[in-house]
Structures are given as structure tokens and as C-alpha cells.
Amino acid sequence: QVQLVESGGGSVQAGGSLRLSCAASKYTYCMGWFRQVPGKEREGVAAIYYTGGSTYYGGSVKGRFTISQDTAKHTVYLDMHDLKSEDTGTYYCAAELVPCTVEARYIGYWGKGTQVTVSS
């Protein structure tokens, strides 16, 4: 079992920045972030391989969001810049993605989610 604890959500004005963090209870080979807006399908935001640090991004966030990790702490971060109102949603940390991309078909573990609200 892997426990995931997210932090860092909040409210920000459009154009602002936020950083999300997700601490895993132990090693996982792949972690990522997904977001959910009521009435819409879940969207893959970013993913990162533990080994080598290869990263993957959803098209709507590429160039604005950066996923990174501290492997010693089993923690991943999502730095979000130039936030837009359409980035509003609940952001979920995920672990054990198969494959390790934003289009993962299987996800082993989920965090409880953290709310991000961007006002225009």
C-alpha cells in the first residue's frame, strides 16, 4: 500500500502561480497529477518517472506547469504558472501509473485531492 498526501492547493487570480506537493509513503516507480472538474472527464496533467525523471504533460498545461521530484523524500511537486480559470479543479496525486504518462490506463493509488481555484 502507498499513501499519498497532497498539499498546496488554494485560490489564486488568473496569471498567478501555485505549487502542489505530494508525499508518498514509500517508493513508487511513477507518480503524476490528474485533475477533475465536475461534469468533465478526468484529465491527466503531468507524470514523472522515479528513475531518470522523464516527464510527460497534458497538452493544455505544457509550457506552464512543471512536475519535479525529490526522490529521497518520495515527493513530487507541480509548479503551476500563468494559471487560467480553466485550470480550476480538484487536483489528485497518483502513483503507479501504467503506462507512466498522462494517458495512464491504470493507476494504483490516489491521493484525496486538493482544490485549485483560479479567478479571472
Side-chain angles (χ1 to χ4, degrees):
Q1 286 286 335
V2 177
Q3 283 77 46
L4 302 173
V5 179
E6 302 120 328
S7 60
S11 297
V12 65
Q13 289 196 327
S17 299
L18 281 174
R19 170 178 254 208
L20 305 183
S21 300
C22 175
S25 57
K26 60 182 182 180
Y27 161 84
T28 69
Y29 80 94
C30 175
M31 294 181 69
W33 292 94
F34 292 76
R35 65 187 181 190
Q36 181 79 57
V37 177
K40 294 188 176 181
E41 290 189 2
R42 183 186 69 199
E43 179 184 8
V45 175
I48 186 167
Y49 263 111
Y50 179 92
T51 302
S54 296
T55 57
Y56 305 87
Y57 295 95
S60 63
V61 308
K62 197 171 294 184
R64 300 188 297 121
F65 290 13
T66 301
I67 188 169
S68 60
Q69 63 184 349
D70 183 332
T71 54
K73 296 181 179 179
H74 303 312
T75 298
V76 295
Y77 306 96
L78 186 68
D79 288 296
M80 306 184 291
H81 301 289
D82 189 24
L83 283 160
K84 306 175 187 298
S85 57
E86 52 264 41
D87 294 317
T88 294
T90 303
Y91 284 67
Y92 295 91
C93 180
E96 305 290 299
L97 283 62
V98 181
C100 186
T101 73
V102 294
E103 299 175 349
R105 293 184 296 276
Y106 170 80
I107 295 169
Y109 303 95
W110 290 99
K112 292 183 178 181
T114 184
Q115 180 66 32
V116 171
T117 302
V118 184
S119 57
S120 57

PDB file of all heavy atoms in Angstrom, residues 1-4 24-28 95-96 109-110:
ATOM      1  N   GLN A   1       0.832  -1.194   0.000  1.00  0.00           N
ATOM      2  CA  GLN A   1       0.000   0.000   0.000  1.00  0.00           C
ATOM      3  C   GLN A   1       0.866   1.243   0.000  1.00  0.00           C
ATOM      4  O   GLN A   1       1.911   1.286   0.626  1.00  0.00           O
ATOM      5  CB  GLN A   1      -0.911   0.021   1.244  1.00  0.00           C
ATOM      6  CG  GLN A   1      -2.065  -0.959   1.185  1.00  0.00           C
ATOM      7  CD  GLN A   1      -3.152  -0.514   0.224  1.00  0.00           C
ATOM      8  OE1 GLN A   1      -3.300   0.669  -0.047  1.00  0.00           O
ATOM      9  NE2 GLN A   1      -3.897  -1.465  -0.297  1.00  0.00           N
ATOM     10  N   VAL A   2       0.407   2.232  -0.729  1.00  0.00           N
ATOM     11  CA  VAL A   2       1.088   3.517  -0.788  1.00  0.00           C
ATOM     12  C   VAL A   2       0.098   4.597  -0.380  1.00  0.00           C
ATOM     13  O   VAL A   2      -1.004   4.676  -0.942  1.00  0.00           O
ATOM     14  CB  VAL A   2       1.627   3.816  -2.195  1.00  0.00           C
ATOM     15  CG1 VAL A   2       2.277   5.200  -2.241  1.00  0.00           C
ATOM     16  CG2 VAL A   2       2.619   2.736  -2.628  1.00  0.00           C
ATOM     17  N   GLN A   3       0.463   5.386   0.584  1.00  0.00           N
ATOM     18  CA  GLN A   3      -0.366   6.530   0.965  1.00  0.00           C
ATOM     19  C   GLN A   3       0.201   7.779   0.313  1.00  0.00           C
ATOM     20  O   GLN A   3       1.419   7.976   0.280  1.00  0.00           O
ATOM     21  CB  GLN A   3      -0.402   6.711   2.484  1.00  0.00           C
ATOM     22  CG  GLN A   3      -1.313   5.731   3.203  1.00  0.00           C
ATOM     23  CD  GLN A   3      -0.689   4.356   3.328  1.00  0.00           C
ATOM     24  OE1 GLN A   3       0.473   4.215   3.687  1.00  0.00           O
ATOM     25  NE2 GLN A   3      -1.475   3.331   3.039  1.00  0.00           N
ATOM     26  N   LEU A   4      -0.688   8.607  -0.206  1.00  0.00           N
ATOM     27  CA  LEU A   4      -0.299   9.848  -0.875  1.00  0.00           C
ATOM     28  C   LEU A   4      -0.961  11.014  -0.148  1.00  0.00           C
ATOM     29  O   LEU A   4      -2.175  11.003   0.072  1.00  0.00           O
ATOM     30  CB  LEU A   4      -0.745   9.834  -2.328  1.00  0.00           C
ATOM     31  CG  LEU A   4      -0.229   8.681  -3.183  1.00  0.00           C
ATOM     32  CD1 LEU A   4      -0.888   8.703  -4.552  1.00  0.00           C
ATOM     33  CD2 LEU A   4       1.278   8.744  -3.325  1.00  0.00           C
ATOM     34  N   ALA A  24       4.648  10.580  -0.941  1.00  0.00           N
ATOM     35  CA  ALA A  24       4.287   9.168  -0.927  1.00  0.00           C
ATOM     36  C   ALA A  24       4.918   8.501   0.284  1.00  0.00           C
ATOM     37  O   ALA A  24       5.998   8.883   0.729  1.00  0.00           O
ATOM     38  CB  ALA A  24       4.754   8.488  -2.202  1.00  0.00           C
ATOM     39  N   SER A  25       4.236   7.485   0.791  1.00  0.00           N
ATOM     40  CA  SER A  25       4.725   6.801   1.989  1.00  0.00           C
ATOM     41  C   SER A  25       5.930   5.916   1.700  1.00  0.00           C
ATOM     42  O   SER A  25       6.664   5.537   2.619  1.00  0.00           O
ATOM     43  CB  SER A  25       3.610   5.976   2.634  1.00  0.00           C
ATOM     44  OG  SER A  25       3.096   5.039   1.699  1.00  0.00           O
ATOM     45  N   LYS A  26       6.125   5.571   0.405  1.00  0.00           N
ATOM     46  CA  LYS A  26       7.286   4.783   0.032  1.00  0.00           C
ATOM     47  C   LYS A  26       7.538   4.943  -1.458  1.00  0.00           C
ATOM     48  O   LYS A  26       6.786   5.614  -2.164  1.00  0.00           O
ATOM     49  CB  LYS A  26       7.097   3.310   0.389  1.00  0.00           C
ATOM     50  CG  LYS A  26       5.914   2.630  -0.288  1.00  0.00           C
ATOM     51  CD  LYS A  26       5.816   1.195   0.182  1.00  0.00           C
ATOM     52  CE  LYS A  26       4.671   0.463  -0.505  1.00  0.00           C
ATOM     53  NZ  LYS A  26       4.585  -0.954  -0.043  1.00  0.00           N
ATOM     54  N   TYR A  27       8.599   4.279  -1.927  1.00  0.00           N
ATOM     55  CA  TYR A  27       8.974   4.353  -3.328  1.00  0.00           C
ATOM     56  C   TYR A  27       7.833   3.917  -4.253  1.00  0.00           C
ATOM     57  O   TYR A  27       7.138   2.930  -3.990  1.00  0.00           O
ATOM     58  CB  TYR A  27      10.186   3.451  -3.570  1.00  0.00           C
ATOM     59  CG  TYR A  27      10.397   3.081  -5.014  1.00  0.00           C
ATOM     60  CD1 TYR A  27      11.076   3.928  -5.877  1.00  0.00           C
ATOM     61  CD2 TYR A  27       9.903   1.875  -5.511  1.00  0.00           C
ATOM     62  CE1 TYR A  27      11.264   3.595  -7.204  1.00  0.00           C
ATOM     63  CE2 TYR A  27      10.078   1.529  -6.846  1.00  0.00           C
ATOM     64  CZ  TYR A  27      10.766   2.395  -7.680  1.00  0.00           C
ATOM     65  OH  TYR A  27      10.933   2.063  -8.992  1.00  0.00           O
ATOM     66  N   THR A  28       7.658   4.692  -5.320  1.00  0.00           N
ATOM     67  CA  THR A  28       6.806   4.266  -6.414  1.00  0.00           C
ATOM     68  C   THR A  28       7.548   4.591  -7.705  1.00  0.00           C
ATOM     69  O   THR A  28       8.224   5.618  -7.774  1.00  0.00           O
ATOM     70  CB  THR A  28       5.441   4.969  -6.409  1.00  0.00           C
ATOM     71  OG1 THR A  28       5.617   6.358  -6.725  1.00  0.00           O
ATOM     72  CG2 THR A  28       4.772   4.861  -5.055  1.00  0.00           C
ATOM     73  N   ALA A  95      -0.138   7.471  -8.095  1.00  0.00           N
ATOM     74  CA  ALA A  95       1.098   6.689  -8.103  1.00  0.00           C
ATOM     75  C   ALA A  95       0.871   5.357  -8.801  1.00  0.00           C
ATOM     76  O   ALA A  95      -0.254   4.852  -8.833  1.00  0.00           O
ATOM     77  CB  ALA A  95       1.587   6.454  -6.679  1.00  0.00           C
ATOM     78  N   GLU A  96       1.951   4.795  -9.300  1.00  0.00           N
ATOM     79  CA  GLU A  96       1.915   3.523 -10.009  1.00  0.00           C
ATOM     80  C   GLU A  96       1.046   3.631 -11.251  1.00  0.00           C
ATOM     81  O   GLU A  96       0.077   2.874 -11.426  1.00  0.00           O
ATOM     82  CB  GLU A  96       1.441   2.387  -9.098  1.00  0.00           C
ATOM     83  CG  GLU A  96       2.246   2.250  -7.811  1.00  0.00           C
ATOM     84  CD  GLU A  96       3.659   1.745  -8.032  1.00  0.00           C
ATOM     85  OE1 GLU A  96       3.832   0.625  -8.546  1.00  0.00           O
ATOM     86  OE2 GLU A  96       4.599   2.502  -7.714  1.00  0.00           O
ATOM     87  N   TYR A 109      -2.700   4.020  -7.065  1.00  0.00           N
ATOM     88  CA  TYR A 109      -3.044   4.729  -5.828  1.00  0.00           C
ATOM     89  C   TYR A 109      -3.399   6.186  -6.121  1.00  0.00           C
ATOM     90  O   TYR A 109      -2.824   6.801  -7.016  1.00  0.00           O
ATOM     91  CB  TYR A 109      -1.869   4.681  -4.855  1.00  0.00           C
ATOM     92  CG  TYR A 109      -1.417   3.285  -4.528  1.00  0.00           C
ATOM     93  CD1 TYR A 109      -0.363   2.701  -5.225  1.00  0.00           C
ATOM     94  CD2 TYR A 109      -2.063   2.544  -3.543  1.00  0.00           C
ATOM     95  CE1 TYR A 109       0.040   1.411  -4.940  1.00  0.00           C
ATOM     96  CE2 TYR A 109      -1.655   1.253  -3.258  1.00  0.00           C
ATOM     97  CZ  TYR A 109      -0.614   0.691  -3.962  1.00  0.00           C
ATOM     98  OH  TYR A 109      -0.218  -0.594  -3.684  1.00  0.00           O
ATOM     99  N   TRP A 110      -4.334   6.686  -5.328  1.00  0.00           N
ATOM    100  CA  TRP A 110      -4.780   8.060  -5.445  1.00  0.00           C
ATOM    101  C   TRP A 110      -4.653   8.783  -4.121  1.00  0.00           C
ATOM    102  O   TRP A 110      -4.865   8.201  -3.055  1.00  0.00           O
ATOM    103  CB  TRP A 110      -6.248   8.114  -5.855  1.00  0.00           C
ATOM    104  CG  TRP A 110      -6.551   7.677  -7.244  1.00  0.00           C
ATOM    105  CD1 TRP A 110      -7.022   6.461  -7.647  1.00  0.00           C
ATOM    106  CD2 TRP A 110      -6.429   8.466  -8.434  1.00  0.00           C
ATOM    107  NE1 TRP A 110      -7.208   6.449  -9.000  1.00  0.00           N
ATOM    108  CE2 TRP A 110      -6.850   7.660  -9.513  1.00  0.00           C
ATOM    109  CE3 TRP A 110      -6.017   9.775  -8.691  1.00  0.00           C
ATOM    110  CZ2 TRP A 110      -6.865   8.123 -10.826  1.00  0.00           C
ATOM    111  CZ3 TRP A 110      -6.033  10.232  -9.994  1.00  0.00           C
ATOM    112  CH2 TRP A 110      -6.448   9.416 -11.042  1.00  0.00           C
TER     113      TRP A 110
END
